[in-house]
Amino acid sequence: MKIEKTDLPGLLIVLPKIFRDERGYFYESYNQQKYQEAGIDAIFVQDNESRSVRGVVRGLHYQLAPHAQAKLVRVLEGTVVDVAVDIRKNSPAFGQWFGVELSAENKKQLYIPEGFAHGFSVLSETAVLAYKCNAFYHPESERGIALDGPDLNIDWKIPAQEFIVSEKDKKSPRFRDAEMNFIFVENQI
């Protein structure tokens, strides 16, 4: 397994070691000991899976502390652009976003620590995402940020007129108006 740091402190790309031969492939999609050795110390308590069609943009979602969630995201089918936005006050990357293409083919994973909003857009005909969370879903703490706000200017890799967005996500506030209660802590991964 190889870990790549991003420009946003704590946000990591995980590249698992894939063993391929004429029969197909094998890889460990998660090994708690190896992830902890790499600095990912989240204890995951919930697995989620979603299926979406091309053009769907989900997000940007997060839960307020103390119910914040770290996530480990991967794609089982198709291709997405997975995006995380740093919403930790005092972070050197506060308000910055990072996007990476995750696919069933490249097997990359994105580790998103607490204090980030998360979303994705579907580039393939369909996509199935699986992600682990270190905290349970807590509806009262759920928040969102407008995915198409000019204050973030995220490149979702699909034209805005093709977005398929839930009614709930359409009502999310712009970044500058969103409720956030995260504080950046030095020496995070």
Side-chain angles (χ1 to χ4, degrees):
M1 173 177 60
K2 181 180 171 189
I3 301 288
E4 292 181 357
K5 291 185 177 184
T6 69
D7 291 339
L8 281 61
L11 189 66
L12 305 172
I13 298 172
V14 179
L15 301 142
K17 186 170 178 133
I18 303 167
F19 301 92
R20 297 179 191 270
D21 63 22
E22 66 280 352
R23 298 170 297 162
Y25 68 86
F26 170 84
Y27 76 101
E28 285 184 342
S29 63
Y30 181 74
N31 178 313
Q32 184 180 19
Q33 182 178 7
K34 289 180 182 176
Y35 280 66
Q36 285 179 332
E37 289 169 1
I40 298 173
D41 59 2
I43 304 298
F44 296 109
V45 298
Q46 179 177 317
D47 282 3
N48 298 331
E49 185 174 309
S50 71
R51 181 181 185 279
S52 304
V53 298
R54 185 185 189 305
V56 166
V57 184
R58 295 185 189 261
L60 295 156
H61 302 142
Y62 58 98
Q63 292 185 175
L64 295 172
H67 301 285
Q69 294 177 313
K71 297 175 182 176
L72 181 62
V73 183
R74 66 189 177 113
V75 171
L76 305 175
E77 171 190 311
T79 303
V80 306
V81 170
D82 207 60
V83 171
V85 177
D86 191 337
I87 58 174
R88 301 168 297 176
K89 294 178 180 154
N90 301 323
S91 167
F94 180 74
Q96 294 179 30
W97 64 273
F98 175 84
V100 62
E101 189 172 292
L102 303 180
S103 71
E105 185 63 32
N106 71 23
K107 308 277 186 254
K108 289 180 182 179
Q109 300 176 14
L110 185 63
Y111 174 70
I112 306 165
E114 296 170 2
F116 283 78
H118 172 247
F120 65 88
S121 63
V122 179
L123 306 181
S124 52
E125 289 306 308
T126 60
V128 176
L129 272 76
Y131 55 100
K132 296 180 166 304
C133 299
N134 75 332
F136 297 107
Y137 175 63
H138 190 263
E140 296 81 17
S141 299
E142 183 180 25
R143 298 294 186 274
I145 297 170
L147 53 90
D148 59 352
D151 42 354
L152 294 176
N153 201 26
I154 295 171
D155 182 1
W156 295 102
K157 304 291 184 196
I158 54 176
Q161 64 269 22
E162 294 180 22
F163 285 8
I164 302 170
V165 181
S166 74
E167 289 304 314
K168 181 172 122 184
D169 286 350
K170 287 178 184 177
K171 296 176 184 172
S172 293
R174 290 173 62 169
F175 179 80
R176 66 178 179 217
D177 299 323
E179 180 182 3
M180 303 172 217
N181 67 351
F182 303 99
I183 304 295
F184 177 73
V185 178
E186 287 290 333
N187 300 321
Q188 290 180 322
I189 297 177

